[in-house]
């Protein structure tokens, strides 16, 4: 069995790495947050002392970090992965980052004889805990086949979408659909509530029809309880929509709906709600409508 390095033990990385331990893999872990590292060591992982140290002791290295700058720092920065990784290893970045950064890093790793996959995920913390994430990968087929079982220990749907960077393109598509869906839920449910109708009854009435969605079923129960604890932080979704808009601009594709929702998210961030779950987008509508969409 391949020995795995796991760097980035946050909301997602922690349960994902625990699922790898449960599946029987040996793990070396690293994070700048020592508490997270200690928790994984308590669960059976070995402690890594730097990204380079993790890479020098493992065959497959996974990162689950916030954004492009952190992934670049962990791979190419001081004591970065690139200074420890052995030829023939596979590097998998499971963070959601800009596709161009993915391609840039894959070239640097190729010079070291290392194959890279980008394999961002969808499903959030609950599916990370259950090991039922959707994983959308990009990169060489040989590398994908080699690590498919490892990815399968963290996800239920594991798909190779195309060449390097394709995973993050798929993830941008995913994030546009999720952002617009959650904003639509906010707009619709605020309207229903202000009209005097019980939002929980509206939810129950529409969830089986065409308006039903995984986003509606995941977020509506939390909205009804006013629970905006992350989950997936609004500030991370701002990062994804910025990457989507940049990519749309480069490709000459209109992205006006994403632009609108991004503005809503930025208003919430400026009001101090950037660390709320993205289900909290509804608070923008609630504030302007002067009403809260809650259980009665
Ligand atoms: P998080 O902020 O909870 O976790 C990131 C972890 O990286 C933290 O533990 C942090 O200490 C660590 N870190 C940051 N910089 C580091 C560095 N230089 N060296 C080592 N460790 C470092 O974020 P998250 O919610 O787990 O998200 C991770 C990625 O997954 C993001 O790209 C996000 O967009 C994506 N994602 C998140 C969710 C979700 O629901 N939270 C869902 C799908 C995808």
């Amino acid at each position: 069995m391949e020995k795995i390095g796991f760097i980035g033990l946050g909301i997602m990385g922690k349960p994902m790495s625990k699922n790898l331990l449960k599946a029987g893999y040996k793990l070396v872990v690293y994070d700048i947050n020592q508490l997270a590292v200690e928790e994984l060591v308590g669960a059976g992982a070995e402690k890594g002392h730097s990204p380079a140290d993790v890479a020098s002791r493992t065959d497959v290295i996974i990162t689950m970090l916030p954004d492009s700058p952190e992934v670049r720092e962990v791979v190419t920065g001081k004591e970065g992965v690139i200074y420890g990784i052995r030829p023939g290893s596979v590097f998998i970045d499971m963070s959601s980052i800009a596709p161009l950064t993915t391609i840039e890093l894959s070239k640097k790793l190729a010079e070291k004889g290392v194959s890279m996959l980008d394999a961002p995920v969808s499903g959030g913390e609950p599916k990370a805990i259950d090991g039922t994430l959707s994983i959308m990968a990009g990169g060489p087929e040989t590398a994908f086949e080699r690590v498919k079982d490892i990815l399968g220990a963290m996800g239920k749907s594991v798909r190779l979408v195309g060449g390097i960077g394709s995973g993050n393109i798929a993830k941008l598509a995913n994030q546009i659909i999720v952002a617009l869906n959650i904003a639509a839920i906010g707009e619709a449910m605020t309207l229903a509530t202000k009209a005097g109708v019980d939002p929980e009854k509206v939810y129950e009435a529409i969830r089986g029809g065409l308006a039903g969605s995984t986003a509606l079923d995941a977020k509506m129960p939390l909205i009804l309880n006013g629970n905006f604890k992350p989950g997936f932080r609004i500030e991370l979704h701002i990062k994804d929509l910025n990457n989507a808009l940049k990519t749309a601009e480069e490709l000459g594709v209109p992205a006006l709906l994403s632009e609108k929702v991004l503005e809503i998210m930025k208003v919430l961030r400026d009001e101090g709600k950037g660390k709320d779950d993205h289900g909290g987008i509804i608070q923008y509508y609630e504030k302007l409508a002067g009403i809260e969409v809650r259980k009665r």
Side-chain angles (χ1 to χ4, degrees):
M1 237 181 192
E2 312 244 35
K3 193 166 180 183
I4 303 171
F6 206 109
I7 303 173
L9 306 167
I11 290 179
M12 298 296 283
K14 205 184 279 182
M16 289 162 69
S17 52
K18 284 184 180 169
N19 280 332
L20 290 172
L21 285 173
K22 267 189 223 148
Y25 290 102
K26 286 207 160 59
L27 239 61
V28 184
V29 297
Y30 178 76
D31 194 295
I32 47 178
N33 173 2
Q34 285 311 308
L35 281 177
V37 173
E38 294 312 328
E39 188 176 328
L40 260 293
V41 169
E46 292 172 34
K47 180 175 177 164
H49 301 286
S50 67
D53 176 50
V54 169
S56 70
R57 293 159 58 189
T58 53
D59 314 297
V60 174
I61 297 94
I62 297 175
T63 44
M64 192 54 170
L65 298 158
D67 195 2
S68 309
E70 289 84 6
V71 178
R72 190 181 284 117
E73 168 70 20
V74 161
V75 176
T76 62
K78 194 167 165 272
E79 297 186 274
V81 164
I82 213 150
Y83 301 108
I85 201 160
R86 299 176 294 199
S89 309
V90 177
F91 175 79
I92 315 173
D93 178 35
M94 301 191 74
S95 332
S96 311
I97 70 168
L100 282 178
T101 307
T102 304
I103 293 167
E104 167 201 318
L105 294 176
S106 76
K107 287 182 183 152
K108 293 204 168 127
L109 287 160
E111 288 167 15
K112 297 270 171 185
V114 172
S115 306
M116 174 171 174
L117 296 166
D118 59 325
V121 310
S122 175
E125 189 185 20
K127 294 195 175 202
I129 293 170
D130 292 354
T132 58
L133 290 165
S134 293
I135 301 177
M136 43 210 103
E141 200 161 350
T142 43
F144 177 75
E145 287 303 325
R146 180 169 153 194
V147 302
K148 213 169 147 188
D149 289 347
I150 295 174
L151 297 174
M154 298 178 279
K156 192 166 83 177
S157 154
V158 181
R159 301 272 177 160
L160 183 66
V161 185
I164 188 74
S166 312
N168 273 300
I169 293 287
K171 177 66 183 176
L172 290 183
N174 182 87
Q175 291 306 80
I176 291 172
I177 293 170
V178 171
L180 269 50
N181 205 337
I182 293 178
I185 293 166
E187 198 161 302
M189 291 300 178
T190 306
L191 179 142
T193 308
K194 187 101 192 226
V197 183
D198 182 346
E200 190 169 14
K201 293 200 172 127
V202 176
Y203 165 52
E204 290 300 340
I206 69 173
R207 62 186 289 259
L210 194 53
S213 68
T214 308
L216 185 70
D217 282 337
K219 299 305 173 189
M220 207 46 208
L222 300 177
I223 290 170
L224 288 168
N225 286 312
N227 177 2
F228 302 123
K229 179 178 169 285
F232 187 67
R233 299 191 299 275
I234 287 172
E235 62 189 17
L236 282 179
H237 216 143
I238 289 177
K239 171 240 346 173
D240 290 337
L241 286 188
N242 273 325
N243 283 336
L245 290 183
K246 219 169 121 201
T247 309
E249 169 79 20
E250 279 158 14
L251 297 172
V253 174
L256 56 164
L257 298 179
S258 298
E259 276 172 21
K260 284 268 185 220
V261 179
L262 179 59
E263 283 309 312
I264 293 175
M265 289 183 184
K266 284 182 179 168
V267 169
L268 290 166
R269 181 193 58 195
D270 294 347
E271 287 176 356
K273 296 186 187 325
K275 299 205 182 309
D276 280 7
D277 186 72
H278 55 171
I281 288 173
I282 197 167
Q283 294 170 101
Y284 174 87
Y285 290 94
E286 290 177 336
K287 186 175 176 191
L288 292 180
I291 202 160
E292 286 191 338
V293 179
R294 299 288 176 274
K295 242 184 207 319
R296 298 196 171 166

